[in-house]
Amino acid sequence: MNNPTRYFIADIHLTDDEPEITAGLLSFLDTLPDNCELYILGDLFDYWVGDDVNSILHKQIASALQSLSNRHIKKYFVCGNRDFLLGKQYAKSCDMTLLTDINCLVKSENSIIFLHGDLLCTDDPHYQRFRKIMHCSWLQKLFLCMPLFIRLKIAIKLRQKSSQHNRVKSETIMDVNQQTVVKMMIKYHADIMIHGHTHKPATHVFLINEKPVKRIVLGAWHDGVSYIKQESNSDNIQLYNHCFK
Ligand code: LP5
Ligand code: MN
């Protein structure tokens, strides 16, 4: 069976305040070849407080993603720690499939596992506890019932708190835990792991049971494009980073 060419991106952090990032994403989408697949691994938006927001930015992105369907490009979305509330209604307006936190693409015997990446930061118990609370479905439902101005206030407060906390956390605490990576790769029989979140684009090669495996980390889009391309019907998978044109 023919596998399509696959593209992976994460951590675009779209916001009204940085139109050059939006423009960068829109031109990247234009360059995608027909019939490929696009996997968005979370933090597409800087924060998401509900599908009902309906801003110009949200509509512009939905329309750009939706129009990729005319070129038979399938879109998949894994939520990040900023946009975990992005729901079915918005996904439908983008003609994009919502995926679960951890996903596998099966190659011949092994697989590619992909996720946002925050689940791998297990040296940071404060964040993992915070994440569990944020993912409580009753709390999310309650939050989504609140008036928009209150939701926005809470999101801005959480962002401020997060920045304060991050300023005093060490780089190591905010990076992935290697044992967690290995455990997850073994569990999913993966020889390639793809994630974002840490904003540290790199390809790490290491051994699991004496077999070389790869962890490819996508970069954030603050200054340019970062994507992974897996060639159609091939094991060739590469990370690309370049400045916005
Ligand atoms: O996002 P980033 O890169 O700054 O840091 C992340 C972790 N921080 C977060 C928080 C998000 O940035 C906030 C997103 C808002 C989403 C919209 C609102 C939806 C609300 C839904 C309610 C159900 O994810 C950060 C990690 C870092 O990545 C690296 O991994 O360190 O983790 C933290 O900062 C968590 C703190 O360490 C602990 C929690 C502090 C929370 C304080 C609560 C204050 C309550 C105020 C409420 C009004
Ligand atoms: Mn993130």
Side-chain angles (χ1 to χ4, degrees), residues 87-218:
K88 285 183 192 152
Q89 190 189 319
Y90 190 70
K92 193 171 175 215
S93 70
C94 303
D95 193 19
M96 165 171 93
T97 306
L98 292 179
L99 299 177
T100 53
D101 284 348
I102 304 171
N103 302 271
C104 262
L105 286 164
V106 180
K107 298 198 292 160
S108 39
E109 276 169 37
N110 292 301
S111 63
I112 299 178
I113 179 179
F114 60 94
L115 66 165
H116 177 57
D118 54 332
L119 276 171
L120 302 166
C121 300
T122 51
D123 288 328
D124 187 351
H126 293 110
Y127 172 66
Q128 293 302 331
R129 215 172 305 137
F130 172 75
R131 185 184 192 279
K132 257 201 186 120
I133 298 170
M134 291 294 111
H135 282 252
C136 280
S137 63
W138 65 266
L139 187 64
Q140 294 188 355
K141 276 187 193 130
L142 181 71
F143 179 82
L144 292 172
C145 289
M146 291 175 182
L148 181 57
F149 78 97
I150 298 183
R151 281 184 270 156
L152 285 169
K153 264 194 173 162
I154 294 175
I156 289 162
K157 193 86 204 154
L158 287 172
R159 289 289 311 116
Q160 283 168 354
K161 288 277 172 203
S162 180
S163 303
Q164 282 168 12
H165 282 240
N166 289 354
R167 252 176 264 140
V168 292
K169 281 183 195 173
S170 75
E171 282 291 311
T172 337
I173 282 183
M174 289 195 288
D175 205 347
V176 303
N177 173 291
Q178 181 64 13
Q179 274 173 315
T180 307
V181 168
V182 170
K183 235 169 129 179
M184 201 180 273
M185 290 185 79
I186 291 175
K187 183 172 172 193
Y188 288 88
H189 307 285
D191 58 1
I192 296 176
M193 173 183 264
I194 296 177
H195 70 84
H197 183 66
T198 58
H199 302 187
K200 290 180 176 160
T203 300
H204 304 271
V205 181
F206 51 97
L207 298 176
I208 295 183
N209 299 329
E210 292 166 29
K211 190 176 153 214
V213 297
K214 272 186 200 169
R215 175 171 70 91
I216 316 180
V217 189
L218 288 155

